[in-house]
PDB file of all heavy atoms in Angstrom:
ATOM      1  N   LEU A   1      -5.603  13.896  11.339  1.00  0.00           N
ATOM      2  CA  LEU A   1      -6.325  13.169  10.278  1.00  0.00           C
ATOM      3  C   LEU A   1      -7.001  11.862  10.747  1.00  0.00           C
ATOM      4  O   LEU A   1      -7.608  11.151  10.041  1.00  0.00           O
ATOM      5  CB  LEU A   1      -5.316  12.764   9.090  1.00  0.00           C
ATOM      6  CG  LEU A   1      -4.883  13.878   8.253  1.00  0.00           C
ATOM      7  CD1 LEU A   1      -3.864  13.449   7.165  1.00  0.00           C
ATOM      8  CD2 LEU A   1      -6.113  14.548   7.551  1.00  0.00           C
ATOM      9  N   ARG A   2      -6.823  11.575  12.024  1.00  0.00           N
ATOM     10  CA  ARG A   2      -7.436  10.434  12.621  1.00  0.00           C
ATOM     11  C   ARG A   2      -9.027  10.567  12.645  1.00  0.00           C
ATOM     12  O   ARG A   2      -9.549  11.653  12.914  1.00  0.00           O
ATOM     13  CB  ARG A   2      -6.947  10.175  14.038  1.00  0.00           C
ATOM     14  CG  ARG A   2      -5.467   9.830  14.078  1.00  0.00           C
ATOM     15  CD  ARG A   2      -4.984   9.528  15.448  1.00  0.00           C
ATOM     16  NE  ARG A   2      -3.501   9.477  15.322  1.00  0.00           N
ATOM     17  CZ  ARG A   2      -2.748   9.373  16.425  1.00  0.00           C
ATOM     18  NH1 ARG A   2      -3.202   9.379  17.608  1.00  0.00           N
ATOM     19  NH2 ARG A   2      -1.327   9.189  16.118  1.00  0.00           N
ATOM     20  N   GLY A   3      -9.630   9.583  12.314  1.00  0.00           N
ATOM     21  CA  GLY A   3     -11.082   9.706  12.068  1.00  0.00           C
ATOM     22  C   GLY A   3     -11.374   9.687  10.506  1.00  0.00           C
ATOM     23  O   GLY A   3     -12.347   9.202  10.115  1.00  0.00           O
ATOM     24  N   GLU A   4     -10.407  10.230   9.772  1.00  0.00           N
ATOM     25  CA  GLU A   4     -10.544  10.224   8.287  1.00  0.00           C
ATOM     26  C   GLU A   4      -9.657   9.030   7.745  1.00  0.00           C
ATOM     27  O   GLU A   4     -10.078   8.260   6.900  1.00  0.00           O
ATOM     28  CB  GLU A   4     -10.131  11.474   7.702  1.00  0.00           C
ATOM     29  CG  GLU A   4     -10.927  12.803   8.096  1.00  0.00           C
ATOM     30  CD  GLU A   4     -12.406  12.638   7.802  1.00  0.00           C
ATOM     31  OE1 GLU A   4     -12.701  12.312   6.671  1.00  0.00           O
ATOM     32  OE2 GLU A   4     -13.273  12.992   8.664  1.00  0.00           O
ATOM     33  N   VAL A   5      -8.447   9.019   8.178  1.00  0.00           N
ATOM     34  CA  VAL A   5      -7.404   8.070   7.774  1.00  0.00           C
ATOM     35  C   VAL A   5      -7.198   6.980   8.923  1.00  0.00           C
ATOM     36  O   VAL A   5      -7.086   7.411  10.011  1.00  0.00           O
ATOM     37  CB  VAL A   5      -6.067   8.693   7.443  1.00  0.00           C
ATOM     38  CG1 VAL A   5      -5.030   7.697   7.044  1.00  0.00           C
ATOM     39  CG2 VAL A   5      -6.263   9.739   6.311  1.00  0.00           C
ATOM     40  N   GLU A   6      -7.414   5.729   8.522  1.00  0.00           N
ATOM     41  CA  GLU A   6      -7.204   4.653   9.474  1.00  0.00           C
ATOM     42  C   GLU A   6      -5.851   4.336   9.708  1.00  0.00           C
ATOM     43  O   GLU A   6      -5.280   4.154  10.831  1.00  0.00           O
ATOM     44  CB  GLU A   6      -8.017   3.353   9.090  1.00  0.00           C
ATOM     45  CG  GLU A   6      -9.422   3.509   9.062  1.00  0.00           C
ATOM     46  CD  GLU A   6     -10.138   2.126   8.880  1.00  0.00           C
ATOM     47  OE1 GLU A   6      -9.427   1.213   8.455  1.00  0.00           O
ATOM     48  OE2 GLU A   6     -11.259   1.993   9.090  1.00  0.00           O
ATOM     49  N   ARG A   7      -5.044   4.226   8.641  1.00  0.00           N
ATOM     50  CA  ARG A   7      -3.618   3.776   8.692  1.00  0.00           C
ATOM     51  C   ARG A   7      -2.830   4.342   7.657  1.00  0.00           C
ATOM     52  O   ARG A   7      -3.291   4.710   6.517  1.00  0.00           O
ATOM     53  CB  ARG A   7      -3.535   2.244   8.605  1.00  0.00           C
ATOM     54  CG  ARG A   7      -4.090   1.445   9.833  1.00  0.00           C
ATOM     55  CD  ARG A   7      -3.224   1.586  10.969  1.00  0.00           C
ATOM     56  NE  ARG A   7      -3.597   0.743  12.111  1.00  0.00           N
ATOM     57  CZ  ARG A   7      -4.585   1.071  13.019  1.00  0.00           C
ATOM     58  NH1 ARG A   7      -5.239   2.180  12.864  1.00  0.00           N
ATOM     59  NH2 ARG A   7      -4.844   0.236  13.938  1.00  0.00           N
ATOM     60  N   VAL A   8      -1.450   4.646   7.909  1.00  0.00           N
ATOM     61  CA  VAL A   8      -0.584   4.982   6.934  1.00  0.00           C
ATOM     62  C   VAL A   8       0.330   3.725   6.723  1.00  0.00           C
ATOM     63  O   VAL A   8       0.669   3.026   7.780  1.00  0.00           O
ATOM     64  CB  VAL A   8       0.355   6.099   7.482  1.00  0.00           C
ATOM     65  CG1 VAL A   8       1.573   6.370   6.461  1.00  0.00           C
ATOM     66  CG2 VAL A   8      -0.443   7.383   7.826  1.00  0.00           C
ATOM     67  N   TRP A   9       0.459   3.233   5.546  1.00  0.00           N
ATOM     68  CA  TRP A   9       1.197   2.077   5.293  1.00  0.00           C
ATOM     69  C   TRP A   9       2.371   2.331   4.291  1.00  0.00           C
ATOM     70  O   TRP A   9       2.293   3.192   3.371  1.00  0.00           O
ATOM     71  CB  TRP A   9       0.359   0.973   4.842  1.00  0.00           C
ATOM     72  CG  TRP A   9      -0.488   1.163   3.553  1.00  0.00           C
ATOM     73  CD1 TRP A   9      -1.783   1.637   3.532  1.00  0.00           C
ATOM     74  CD2 TRP A   9      -0.070   1.049   2.172  1.00  0.00           C
ATOM     75  NE1 TRP A   9      -2.185   1.698   2.221  1.00  0.00           N
ATOM     76  CE2 TRP A   9      -1.170   1.388   1.408  1.00  0.00           C
ATOM     77  CE3 TRP A   9       1.092   0.680   1.613  1.00  0.00           C
ATOM     78  CZ2 TRP A   9      -1.119   1.300  -0.033  1.00  0.00           C
ATOM     79  CZ3 TRP A   9       1.211   0.551   0.197  1.00  0.00           C
ATOM     80  CH2 TRP A   9       0.074   0.899  -0.516  1.00  0.00           C
ATOM     81  N   THR A  10       3.429   1.552   4.381  1.00  0.00           N
ATOM     82  CA  THR A  10       4.518   1.605   3.462  1.00  0.00           C
ATOM     83  C   THR A  10       4.876   0.174   3.142  1.00  0.00           C
ATOM     84  O   THR A  10       4.645  -0.836   3.894  1.00  0.00           O
ATOM     85  CB  THR A  10       5.765   2.237   4.172  1.00  0.00           C
ATOM     86  OG1 THR A  10       6.057   1.553   5.367  1.00  0.00           O
ATOM     87  CG2 THR A  10       5.484   3.820   4.521  1.00  0.00           C
ATOM     88  N   VAL A  11       5.421   0.086   1.899  1.00  0.00           N
ATOM     89  CA  VAL A  11       5.840  -1.266   1.499  1.00  0.00           C
ATOM     90  C   VAL A  11       7.225  -1.103   0.789  1.00  0.00           C
ATOM     91  O   VAL A  11       7.446  -0.085  -0.027  1.00  0.00           O
ATOM     92  CB  VAL A  11       4.874  -1.929   0.631  1.00  0.00           C
ATOM     93  CG1 VAL A  11       4.510  -1.139  -0.756  1.00  0.00           C
ATOM     94  CG2 VAL A  11       5.292  -3.270   0.156  1.00  0.00           C
ATOM     95  N   ARG A  12       8.171  -1.901   1.088  1.00  0.00           N
ATOM     96  CA  ARG A  12       9.455  -1.892   0.429  1.00  0.00           C
ATOM     97  C   ARG A  12       9.785  -3.220  -0.101  1.00  0.00           C
ATOM     98  O   ARG A  12       9.785  -4.271   0.646  1.00  0.00           O
ATOM     99  CB  ARG A  12      10.583  -1.384   1.369  1.00  0.00           C
ATOM    100  CG  ARG A  12      11.931  -1.281   0.879  1.00  0.00           C
ATOM    101  CD  ARG A  12      12.948  -0.861   1.868  1.00  0.00           C
ATOM    102  NE  ARG A  12      12.629   0.435   2.400  1.00  0.00           N
ATOM    103  CZ  ARG A  12      13.213   1.536   1.939  1.00  0.00           C
ATOM    104  NH1 ARG A  12      14.121   1.357   0.902  1.00  0.00           N
ATOM    105  NH2 ARG A  12      12.950   2.678   2.350  1.00  0.00           N
ATOM    106  N   VAL A  13      10.330  -3.381  -1.361  1.00  0.00           N
ATOM    107  CA  VAL A  13      10.713  -4.624  -1.959  1.00  0.00           C
ATOM    108  C   VAL A  13      12.203  -4.472  -2.211  1.00  0.00           C
ATOM    109  O   VAL A  13      12.720  -3.543  -2.794  1.00  0.00           O
ATOM    110  CB  VAL A  13       9.911  -4.884  -3.301  1.00  0.00           C
ATOM    111  CG1 VAL A  13      10.417  -6.179  -3.834  1.00  0.00           C
ATOM    112  CG2 VAL A  13       8.518  -4.858  -3.018  1.00  0.00           C
ATOM    113  N   ALA A  14      13.019  -5.360  -1.764  1.00  0.00           N
ATOM    114  CA  ALA A  14      14.453  -5.527  -1.943  1.00  0.00           C
ATOM    115  C   ALA A  14      14.828  -5.451  -3.518  1.00  0.00           C
ATOM    116  O   ALA A  14      13.943  -5.979  -4.262  1.00  0.00           O
ATOM    117  CB  ALA A  14      15.074  -6.639  -1.249  1.00  0.00           C
ATOM    118  N   ASP A  15      15.965  -4.876  -3.749  1.00  0.00           N
ATOM    119  CA  ASP A  15      16.401  -4.734  -5.146  1.00  0.00           C
ATOM    120  C   ASP A  15      16.546  -6.043  -5.820  1.00  0.00           C
ATOM    121  O   ASP A  15      16.284  -6.369  -6.938  1.00  0.00           O
ATOM    122  CB  ASP A  15      17.665  -3.929  -5.226  1.00  0.00           C
ATOM    123  CG  ASP A  15      17.439  -2.583  -4.887  1.00  0.00           C
ATOM    124  OD1 ASP A  15      16.283  -1.966  -4.967  1.00  0.00           O
ATOM    125  OD2 ASP A  15      18.465  -1.864  -4.473  1.00  0.00           O
ATOM    126  N   ASP A  16      16.971  -7.134  -4.919  1.00  0.00           N
ATOM    127  CA  ASP A  16      17.191  -8.497  -5.426  1.00  0.00           C
ATOM    128  C   ASP A  16      16.103  -9.404  -5.240  1.00  0.00           C
ATOM    129  O   ASP A  16      16.224 -10.740  -5.601  1.00  0.00           O
ATOM    130  CB  ASP A  16      18.494  -9.092  -4.867  1.00  0.00           C
ATOM    131  CG  ASP A  16      18.411  -9.117  -3.350  1.00  0.00           C
ATOM    132  OD1 ASP A  16      17.370  -8.587  -2.730  1.00  0.00           O
ATOM    133  OD2 ASP A  16      19.346  -9.685  -2.713  1.00  0.00           O
ATOM    134  N   ALA A  17      14.916  -8.971  -4.800  1.00  0.00           N
ATOM    135  CA  ALA A  17      13.768  -9.806  -4.573  1.00  0.00           C
ATOM    136  C   ALA A  17      13.054 -10.008  -5.838  1.00  0.00           C
ATOM    137  O   ALA A  17      13.060  -9.152  -6.844  1.00  0.00           O
ATOM    138  CB  ALA A  17      12.815  -9.132  -3.574  1.00  0.00           C
ATOM    139  N   PRO A  18      12.383 -11.121  -6.110  1.00  0.00           N
ATOM    140  CA  PRO A  18      11.595 -11.342  -7.201  1.00  0.00           C
ATOM    141  C   PRO A  18      10.305 -10.474  -7.279  1.00  0.00           C
ATOM    142  O   PRO A  18       9.886 -10.084  -6.148  1.00  0.00           O
ATOM    143  CB  PRO A  18      11.167 -12.751  -7.221  1.00  0.00           C
ATOM    144  CG  PRO A  18      11.203 -13.085  -5.746  1.00  0.00           C
ATOM    145  CD  PRO A  18      12.282 -12.270  -5.185  1.00  0.00           C
ATOM    146  N   ALA A  19       9.748 -10.169  -8.434  1.00  0.00           N
ATOM    147  CA  ALA A  19       8.428  -9.483  -8.471  1.00  0.00           C
ATOM    148  C   ALA A  19       7.341 -10.348  -7.921  1.00  0.00           C
ATOM    149  O   ALA A  19       7.525 -11.628  -7.973  1.00  0.00           O
ATOM    150  CB  ALA A  19       8.170  -9.098  -9.883  1.00  0.00           C
ATOM    151  N   ARG A  20       6.415  -9.776  -7.286  1.00  0.00           N
ATOM    152  CA  ARG A  20       5.284 -10.643  -6.738  1.00  0.00           C
ATOM    153  C   ARG A  20       4.006  -9.874  -6.786  1.00  0.00           C
ATOM    154  O   ARG A  20       4.011  -8.678  -6.992  1.00  0.00           O
ATOM    155  CB  ARG A  20       5.627 -11.031  -5.314  1.00  0.00           C
ATOM    156  CG  ARG A  20       5.678  -9.865  -4.333  1.00  0.00           C
ATOM    157  CD  ARG A  20       5.882 -10.276  -2.866  1.00  0.00           C
ATOM    158  NE  ARG A  20       4.680 -11.002  -2.439  1.00  0.00           N
ATOM    159  CZ  ARG A  20       4.600 -11.453  -1.229  1.00  0.00           C
ATOM    160  NH1 ARG A  20       5.578 -11.326  -0.307  1.00  0.00           N
ATOM    161  NH2 ARG A  20       3.554 -12.117  -0.805  1.00  0.00           N
ATOM    162  N   VAL A  21       2.938 -10.660  -6.720  1.00  0.00           N
ATOM    163  CA  VAL A  21       1.609 -10.110  -6.799  1.00  0.00           C
ATOM    164  C   VAL A  21       1.050 -10.269  -5.413  1.00  0.00           C
ATOM    165  O   VAL A  21       0.885 -11.389  -4.878  1.00  0.00           O
ATOM    166  CB  VAL A  21       0.748 -10.777  -7.887  1.00  0.00           C
ATOM    167  CG1 VAL A  21      -0.646 -10.222  -7.725  1.00  0.00           C
ATOM    168  CG2 VAL A  21       1.337 -10.432  -9.125  1.00  0.00           C
ATOM    169  N   GLN A  22       0.518  -9.156  -4.782  1.00  0.00           N
ATOM    170  CA  GLN A  22      -0.116  -9.211  -3.553  1.00  0.00           C
ATOM    171  C   GLN A  22      -1.594  -8.884  -3.723  1.00  0.00           C
ATOM    172  O   GLN A  22      -1.932  -7.952  -4.403  1.00  0.00           O
ATOM    173  CB  GLN A  22       0.462  -8.012  -2.662  1.00  0.00           C
ATOM    174  CG  GLN A  22      -0.122  -7.943  -1.244  1.00  0.00           C
ATOM    175  CD  GLN A  22       0.491  -6.796  -0.447  1.00  0.00           C
ATOM    176  OE1 GLN A  22       1.066  -5.797  -1.080  1.00  0.00           O
ATOM    177  NE2 GLN A  22       0.384  -6.768   0.837  1.00  0.00           N
ATOM    178  N   GLN A  23      -2.396  -9.747  -3.120  1.00  0.00           N
ATOM    179  CA  GLN A  23      -3.806  -9.605  -3.323  1.00  0.00           C
ATOM    180  C   GLN A  23      -4.395  -8.686  -2.194  1.00  0.00           C
ATOM    181  O   GLN A  23      -4.231  -8.927  -0.967  1.00  0.00           O
ATOM    182  CB  GLN A  23      -4.558 -11.008  -3.163  1.00  0.00           C
ATOM    183  CG  GLN A  23      -4.135 -12.045  -4.238  1.00  0.00           C
ATOM    184  CD  GLN A  23      -4.670 -11.529  -5.649  1.00  0.00           C
ATOM    185  OE1 GLN A  23      -5.535 -10.739  -5.746  1.00  0.00           O
ATOM    186  NE2 GLN A  23      -4.067 -12.059  -6.603  1.00  0.00           N
ATOM    187  N   VAL A  24      -5.020  -7.577  -2.631  1.00  0.00           N
ATOM    188  CA  VAL A  24      -5.646  -6.692  -1.729  1.00  0.00           C
ATOM    189  C   VAL A  24      -7.138  -7.005  -1.553  1.00  0.00           C
ATOM    190  O   VAL A  24      -7.694  -7.110  -2.511  1.00  0.00           O
ATOM    191  CB  VAL A  24      -5.512  -5.204  -2.246  1.00  0.00           C
ATOM    192  CG1 VAL A  24      -6.148  -4.243  -1.255  1.00  0.00           C
ATOM    193  CG2 VAL A  24      -4.061  -4.847  -2.441  1.00  0.00           C
ATOM    194  N   LEU A  25      -7.484  -7.231  -0.326  1.00  0.00           N
ATOM    195  CA  LEU A  25      -8.786  -7.833  -0.031  1.00  0.00           C
ATOM    196  C   LEU A  25      -9.796  -6.679   0.191  1.00  0.00           C
ATOM    197  O   LEU A  25      -9.532  -5.656   0.710  1.00  0.00           O
ATOM    198  CB  LEU A  25      -8.820  -8.780   1.121  1.00  0.00           C
ATOM    199  CG  LEU A  25      -7.862  -9.933   0.990  1.00  0.00           C
ATOM    200  CD1 LEU A  25      -7.952 -10.816   2.263  1.00  0.00           C
ATOM    201  CD2 LEU A  25      -8.119 -10.670  -0.210  1.00  0.00           C
ATOM    202  N   PRO A  26     -11.115  -6.946  -0.038  1.00  0.00           N
ATOM    203  CA  PRO A  26     -12.147  -5.881   0.214  1.00  0.00           C
ATOM    204  C   PRO A  26     -12.282  -5.640   1.657  1.00  0.00           C
ATOM    205  O   PRO A  26     -12.258  -6.558   2.460  1.00  0.00           O
ATOM    206  CB  PRO A  26     -13.464  -6.601  -0.243  1.00  0.00           C
ATOM    207  CG  PRO A  26     -13.046  -7.753  -1.188  1.00  0.00           C
ATOM    208  CD  PRO A  26     -11.698  -8.154  -0.693  1.00  0.00           C
ATOM    209  N   ASP A  27     -12.443  -4.333   2.086  1.00  0.00           N
ATOM    210  CA  ASP A  27     -12.518  -3.901   3.420  1.00  0.00           C
ATOM    211  C   ASP A  27     -13.382  -2.731   3.602  1.00  0.00           C
ATOM    212  O   ASP A  27     -13.481  -2.160   4.739  1.00  0.00           O
ATOM    213  CB  ASP A  27     -11.170  -3.751   4.033  1.00  0.00           C
ATOM    214  CG  ASP A  27     -10.325  -2.591   3.388  1.00  0.00           C
ATOM    215  OD1 ASP A  27     -10.850  -1.909   2.465  1.00  0.00           O
ATOM    216  OD2 ASP A  27      -9.155  -2.299   3.688  1.00  0.00           O
ATOM    217  N   GLY A  28     -14.093  -2.145   2.504  1.00  0.00           N
ATOM    218  CA  GLY A  28     -14.883  -1.046   2.662  1.00  0.00           C
ATOM    219  C   GLY A  28     -14.135   0.221   2.599  1.00  0.00           C
ATOM    220  O   GLY A  28     -14.738   1.286   2.557  1.00  0.00           O
ATOM    221  N   CYS A  29     -12.701   0.235   2.561  1.00  0.00           N
ATOM    222  CA  CYS A  29     -11.970   1.379   2.525  1.00  0.00           C
ATOM    223  C   CYS A  29     -11.540   1.797   1.143  1.00  0.00           C
ATOM    224  O   CYS A  29     -11.664   1.069   0.188  1.00  0.00           O
ATOM    225  CB  CYS A  29     -10.722   1.148   3.353  1.00  0.00           C
ATOM    226  SG  CYS A  29     -10.935   0.828   5.089  1.00  0.00           S
ATOM    227  N   MET A  30     -11.102   3.002   1.012  1.00  0.00           N
ATOM    228  CA  MET A  30     -10.347   3.560  -0.192  1.00  0.00           C
ATOM    229  C   MET A  30      -9.059   4.037   0.312  1.00  0.00           C
ATOM    230  O   MET A  30      -8.789   4.521   1.294  1.00  0.00           O
ATOM    231  CB  MET A  30     -11.220   4.657  -0.828  1.00  0.00           C
ATOM    232  CG  MET A  30     -12.491   4.136  -1.516  1.00  0.00           C
ATOM    233  SD  MET A  30     -13.502   5.437  -2.271  1.00  0.00           S
ATOM    234  CE  MET A  30     -12.303   6.229  -3.399  1.00  0.00           C
ATOM    235  N   ASP A  31      -8.038   3.920  -0.676  1.00  0.00           N
ATOM    236  CA  ASP A  31      -6.687   4.325  -0.309  1.00  0.00           C
ATOM    237  C   ASP A  31      -6.204   5.341  -1.402  1.00  0.00           C
ATOM    238  O   ASP A  31      -6.608   5.279  -2.614  1.00  0.00           O
ATOM    239  CB  ASP A  31      -5.722   3.093  -0.463  1.00  0.00           C
ATOM    240  CG  ASP A  31      -5.931   2.143   0.744  1.00  0.00           C
ATOM    241  OD1 ASP A  31      -7.095   1.847   1.088  1.00  0.00           O
ATOM    242  OD2 ASP A  31      -4.893   1.680   1.293  1.00  0.00           O
ATOM    243  N   LEU A  32      -5.230   6.246  -0.867  1.00  0.00           N
ATOM    244  CA  LEU A  32      -4.468   7.076  -1.803  1.00  0.00           C
ATOM    245  C   LEU A  32      -3.063   6.382  -1.815  1.00  0.00           C
ATOM    246  O   LEU A  32      -2.481   6.216  -0.719  1.00  0.00           O
ATOM    247  CB  LEU A  32      -4.486   8.445  -1.249  1.00  0.00           C
ATOM    248  CG  LEU A  32      -3.736   9.531  -2.021  1.00  0.00           C
ATOM    249  CD1 LEU A  32      -4.434   9.717  -3.356  1.00  0.00           C
ATOM    250  CD2 LEU A  32      -3.681  10.894  -1.220  1.00  0.00           C
ATOM    251  N   VAL A  33      -2.702   6.063  -2.972  1.00  0.00           N
ATOM    252  CA  VAL A  33      -1.482   5.185  -3.087  1.00  0.00           C
ATOM    253  C   VAL A  33      -0.391   5.742  -4.025  1.00  0.00           C
ATOM    254  O   VAL A  33      -0.700   6.248  -5.070  1.00  0.00           O
ATOM    255  CB  VAL A  33      -1.883   3.744  -3.704  1.00  0.00           C
ATOM    256  CG1 VAL A  33      -0.761   2.827  -3.866  1.00  0.00           C
ATOM    257  CG2 VAL A  33      -3.051   3.136  -2.828  1.00  0.00           C
ATOM    258  N   TRP A  34       0.810   5.613  -3.528  1.00  0.00           N
ATOM    259  CA  TRP A  34       2.039   5.841  -4.376  1.00  0.00           C
ATOM    260  C   TRP A  34       2.659   4.397  -4.516  1.00  0.00           C
ATOM    261  O   TRP A  34       3.080   3.914  -3.564  1.00  0.00           O
ATOM    262  CB  TRP A  34       3.029   6.844  -3.713  1.00  0.00           C
ATOM    263  CG  TRP A  34       4.334   6.846  -4.506  1.00  0.00           C
ATOM    264  CD1 TRP A  34       5.507   6.467  -3.976  1.00  0.00           C
ATOM    265  CD2 TRP A  34       4.614   7.359  -5.795  1.00  0.00           C
ATOM    266  NE1 TRP A  34       6.539   6.685  -4.896  1.00  0.00           N
ATOM    267  CE2 TRP A  34       5.977   7.179  -6.062  1.00  0.00           C
ATOM    268  CE3 TRP A  34       3.802   7.724  -6.828  1.00  0.00           C
ATOM    269  CZ2 TRP A  34       6.585   7.536  -7.211  1.00  0.00           C
ATOM    270  CZ3 TRP A  34       4.422   8.155  -8.042  1.00  0.00           C
ATOM    271  CH2 TRP A  34       5.735   7.987  -8.232  1.00  0.00           C
ATOM    272  N   THR A  35       2.598   3.997  -5.741  1.00  0.00           N
ATOM    273  CA  THR A  35       3.122   2.568  -6.024  1.00  0.00           C
ATOM    274  C   THR A  35       4.626   2.577  -6.220  1.00  0.00           C
ATOM    275  O   THR A  35       5.188   1.444  -6.304  1.00  0.00           O
ATOM    276  CB  THR A  35       2.458   2.041  -7.254  1.00  0.00           C
ATOM    277  OG1 THR A  35       3.018   2.708  -8.413  1.00  0.00           O
ATOM    278  CG2 THR A  35       0.954   2.062  -7.326  1.00  0.00           C
ATOM    279  N   GLY A  36       5.304   3.707  -6.301  1.00  0.00           N
ATOM    280  CA  GLY A  36       6.692   3.783  -6.666  1.00  0.00           C
ATOM    281  C   GLY A  36       6.748   4.284  -8.129  1.00  0.00           C
ATOM    282  O   GLY A  36       7.800   4.631  -8.595  1.00  0.00           O
ATOM    283  N   ARG A  37       5.664   4.212  -8.891  1.00  0.00           N
ATOM    284  CA  ARG A  37       5.517   4.601 -10.233  1.00  0.00           C
ATOM    285  C   ARG A  37       4.392   5.357 -10.511  1.00  0.00           C
ATOM    286  O   ARG A  37       4.429   6.273 -11.390  1.00  0.00           O
ATOM    287  CB  ARG A  37       5.546   3.399 -11.185  1.00  0.00           C
ATOM    288  CG  ARG A  37       6.815   2.470 -11.014  1.00  0.00           C
ATOM    289  CD  ARG A  37       6.609   1.155 -11.790  1.00  0.00           C
ATOM    290  NE  ARG A  37       5.481   0.352 -11.290  1.00  0.00           N
ATOM    291  CZ  ARG A  37       5.551  -0.385 -10.223  1.00  0.00           C
ATOM    292  NH1 ARG A  37       6.664  -0.406  -9.550  1.00  0.00           N
ATOM    293  NH2 ARG A  37       4.490  -0.992  -9.858  1.00  0.00           N
ATOM    294  N   GLU A  38       3.247   5.175  -9.733  1.00  0.00           N
ATOM    295  CA  GLU A  38       2.004   5.868 -10.113  1.00  0.00           C
ATOM    296  C   GLU A  38       1.334   6.343  -8.774  1.00  0.00           C
ATOM    297  O   GLU A  38       1.567   5.770  -7.800  1.00  0.00           O
ATOM    298  CB  GLU A  38       1.022   4.940 -10.768  1.00  0.00           C
ATOM    299  CG  GLU A  38       1.408   4.435 -12.168  1.00  0.00           C
ATOM    300  CD  GLU A  38       0.335   3.585 -12.733  1.00  0.00           C
ATOM    301  OE1 GLU A  38       0.301   2.368 -12.245  1.00  0.00           O
ATOM    302  OE2 GLU A  38      -0.486   4.045 -13.562  1.00  0.00           O
TER     303      GLU A  38
END
């Protein structure tokens, strides 16, 4: 998939961590995302 996909990424939030908002910045890319819910 190299050449089509630039990176595979994962994110994990601890059970006792507060909710937070992360700002995703414009980069010309599109992502296929599993949020943990959607």
Side-chain angles (χ1 to χ4, degrees):
L1 289 176
R2 291 179 192 175
E4 302 299 316
V5 177
E6 287 190 351
R7 290 291 186 273
V8 176
W9 57 264
T10 58
V11 61
R12 180 184 294 268
V13 183
D15 292 338
D16 58 352
R20 62 174 295 182
V21 175
Q22 179 185 21
Q23 297 293 340
V24 180
L25 302 183
D27 59 5
C29 298
M30 289 176 57
D31 289 46
L32 185 60
V33 179
W34 171 243
T35 68
R37 299 171 299 280
E38 296 180 283

